[in-house]
Structure formats: C-alpha cells, structure tokens
C-alpha cells in the first residue's frame, strides 16, 4: 500500500538514517486527522475500517471496537482479512480508546454500530455532533 494512500506525506526528500542497511531515504510523517464518528459503514480504506460496537451490558451500555484490514492480491481481490478487537468496557472509555487509536494510525472515520440506541449522538464527543 502506498504511503500517500495511508495518509502519509513526505516531509524531507532525502533524510539520513543511521544503524540501517541504507544511509539515506525519504522521511514520511502521518498527516494529523481528527477522526469522525458516523452511523454509516465506511468503505474499507487502505489502513482498514474501524467500528465501535455498542451493546447493553449487565450494568449499562458497554462498547468494544474492532479494526478490520484486508490483505489484497495484485488484482485487488481480498486474500486475507485480519481483525483486531478490544475488550468490552464502558462506552466512554471505549470511545476515548478508539479515537486515540484512529488518530495514531490515520483513520478518518469510525463507524458506530448501536442497534439499541445506547449511545445517542448527543453523547458523542463535541467534534462529532
């Protein structure tokens, strides 16, 4: 996957590298993005798709989040699907965790799956309302 598609830009055309088999190379940096929560299921992006799943637990609403990535063949068909999943926790803690992950890895959208309306849009972080 090209770095530009994953949200990176070149910040220095020729940078020096130490303790590596090569001595110079381009220096890339992740373009900072503020992830947005959405009810829609976003398409699979080069860095994967993030979903926040909200459900009712014993003591109230809980959530976990999931990252799905797809390894593709040269023709673009999926070869493998990988999933990273968090453990269920209170919704507020899961939201903080998934937004931090999205910022760190350049995800622009986080799909909210909430069939029971346990996490209404009024409770979303200010930047996402």
């Amino acid at each position: 996957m090209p770095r530009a598609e994953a949200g990176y830009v070149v910040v220095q055309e020729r940078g020096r590298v130490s303790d590596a088999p090569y001595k110079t190379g381009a220096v890339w940096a992740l373009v900072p993005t503020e992830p947005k929560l959405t009810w829609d299921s976003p398409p699979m992006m080069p860095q994967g798709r993030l979903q926040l799943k909200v459900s009712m637990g014993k003591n109230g609403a809980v959530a976990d989040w999931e990252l799905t990535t797809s390894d593709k063949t040269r023709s673009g068909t999926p070869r493998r699907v990988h999933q990273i999943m968090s453990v269920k926790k209170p919704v507020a803690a899961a939201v903080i965790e998934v937004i931090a992950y999205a910022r760190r890895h350049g995800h622009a959208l986080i799909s909210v799956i909430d069939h029971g309306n346990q996490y209404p849009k009024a409770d979303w972080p200010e930047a996402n309302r």
Side-chain angles (χ1 to χ4, degrees):
M1 161 179 48
R3 288 185 178 109
E5 287 180 21
Y8 288 84
V9 294
V10 175
V11 293
Q12 187 177 352
E13 287 290 331
R14 292 184 54 88
R16 289 228 172 257
V17 180
S18 61
D19 298 328
Y22 48 86
K23 295 297 176 194
T24 61
V27 178
W28 294 78
L30 184 62
V31 176
T33 59
E34 186 57 35
K36 300 287 182 199
L37 299 176
T38 178
W39 292 117
D40 301 324
S41 181
M44 183 69 78
M45 302 302 288
Q47 66 270 44
R49 176 177 43 229
L50 271 175
Q51 295 179 316
L52 177 72
K53 296 179 178 181
V54 181
S55 60
M56 184 53 104
K58 291 179 183 177
N59 298 322
V62 294
D64 59 344
W65 58 271
E66 174 181 289
L67 169 67
T68 305
T69 62
S70 177
D71 183 19
K72 296 185 178 185
T73 62
R74 288 184 183 196
S75 65
T77 57
R79 179 177 16 205
R80 278 185 294 236
V81 174
H82 302 278
Q83 291 182 311
I84 299 172
M85 300 167 69
S86 73
V87 297
K88 290 191 183 216
K89 56 190 71 167
V91 176
V95 169
I96 289 169
E97 188 177 280
V98 73
I99 287 175
Y101 183 92
R103 284 182 187 135
R104 201 168 44 250
H105 296 283
H107 292 270
L109 294 173
I110 302 166
S111 174
V112 177
I113 299 171
D114 181 13
H115 300 294
N117 198 25
Q118 303 298 318
Y119 186 49
K121 201 165 190 174
D123 293 344
W124 290 13
E126 187 69 36
N128 288 283
R129 288 187 208 155

